[in-house]
Amino acid sequence: MKFAKPFLISFSLLAFAGAAQAQSGQQQGARQQLGVQQQSQQKGEMRTSELIGQKVKDSQGKELGEIKDVVLDLQGGKVHAAVLEFGGFMGVGEKNFAFPLRQLEPGGEQGQLTMNIDKQKLENAEGFAQGQWPAMDDEYWGRIGGQASTGETRPQGEPQRKVLVRASELDGKTVQDNSGQDVGEIRHVMVDMKSGQLRDIVVDVKDAGQARVQASSLSIGTGDKLVLDMDAGQLKRQGGGNRQ
């Protein structure tokens, strides 16, 4: 019996050491994961679901509004415009403006962006109301970033965009392969904040994890679905059980 107390103490120390080691391992794993996220942010990659809702301020620190949605050009593999909801109070009087993504810069706080534009200019300009978006084939979107009210026009020789979609309407949308078979759904849309390019679209593949596909490989199908230019087997081989 005289050895019981030291044994219990030794066991407790071992248990504590094991717990500490496990906690250290978890912390290290968290730091590694954070490092990957930070590296992704440094490269300018962001999910549209993270971009939507971010606050926007002007260069003087005055609040302009927040990103309401992102308009994507699937065929061109580009972000056509970021839509800023400006002004108003308690859901009344807001108006929306569309700007090229490259005009948005990281702000001083997390979840905040800045844009070099005069707030007074937006107050005097005509935007479009919530629930009264221009049609995606409207001439408004034919201008770069849709800035019809601020005078910025589409560069000469640039073709009219035809496949424009709202990012907020893509999340969870069903994806079919080229035979019309349902193979998964949209999980994330990844964009490059610096270049304004669509990096990839992440698809939750049935029984095969996740796969990244190029935006240009998707087209609008029937019944509000997206169609891939590949078969189910090709998509599953790209999946490989990855999760994001």
Side-chain angles (χ1 to χ4, degrees), residues 18-234:
Q21 184 176 5
Q23 184 178 8
S24 176
Q26 291 173 352
Q27 292 174 344
Q28 183 178 2
R31 286 194 296 268
Q32 290 174 345
Q33 183 178 10
L34 179 61
V36 171
Q37 293 174 347
Q38 289 174 339
Q39 183 180 11
S40 177
Q41 291 175 357
Q42 289 170 0
K43 292 180 179 179
E45 185 175 78
M46 182 180 288
R47 298 172 182 172
T48 54
S49 58
E50 296 172 335
L51 179 57
I52 295 171
Q54 292 214 19
K55 302 294 183 183
V56 181
K57 293 185 177 182
D58 66 12
S59 56
Q60 305 301 316
K62 297 178 182 178
E63 188 167 327
L64 298 175
E66 68 177 48
I67 300 301
K68 198 66 177 176
D69 215 327
V70 183
V71 177
L72 307 172
D73 172 13
L74 291 181
Q75 278 189 337
K78 300 177 181 179
V79 179
H80 185 62
V83 178
L84 172 73
E85 184 181 72
F86 172 82
F89 180 73
M90 298 291 289
V92 179
E94 291 105 340
K95 51 185 177 179
N96 296 275
F97 297 96
F99 295 93
L101 189 63
R102 61 182 178 273
Q103 288 191 221
L104 296 169
E105 298 286 344
E109 301 175 9
Q110 186 175 4
Q112 177 189 305
L113 300 166
T114 60
M115 186 165 58
N116 186 22
I117 190 168
D118 185 2
K119 185 175 182 179
Q120 187 66 42
K121 184 176 183 180
L122 293 183
E123 289 177 349
N124 297 331
E126 180 181 358
F128 56 91
Q130 181 67 18
Q132 297 180 358
W133 277 52
M136 284 300 169
D137 58 353
D138 193 274
E139 190 271 342
Y140 183 94
W141 299 106
R143 301 169 186 260
I144 187 70
Q147 290 185 256
S149 60
T150 57
E152 186 174 337
T153 58
R154 175 167 48 94
Q156 185 176 6
E158 184 176 335
Q160 181 77 18
R161 296 166 174 83
K162 295 181 180 179
V163 185
L164 299 180
V165 295
R166 294 170 63 167
S168 63
E169 297 176 348
L170 282 184
D171 290 344
K173 191 177 289 292
T174 299
V175 176
Q176 296 179 327
D177 68 0
N178 54 14
S179 70
Q181 175 185 350
D182 291 355
V183 291
E185 63 181 35
I186 302 297
R187 178 70 172 179
H188 299 302
V189 179
M190 313 300 293
V191 300
D192 190 313
M193 294 292 292
K194 294 180 180 179
S195 67
Q197 298 294 312
L198 265 171
R199 283 278 182 88
D200 290 300
I201 292 181
V202 181
V203 179
D204 271 335
V205 186
K206 289 183 178 180
D207 305 319
Q210 293 180 340
R212 282 190 173 220
V213 299
Q214 293 183 347
S216 57
S217 67
L218 290 164
S219 59
I220 306 297
T222 58
D224 201 34
K225 297 182 179 182
L226 294 172
V227 180
L228 271 171
D229 62 358
M230 64 180 71
D231 59 37
Q234 290 175 297

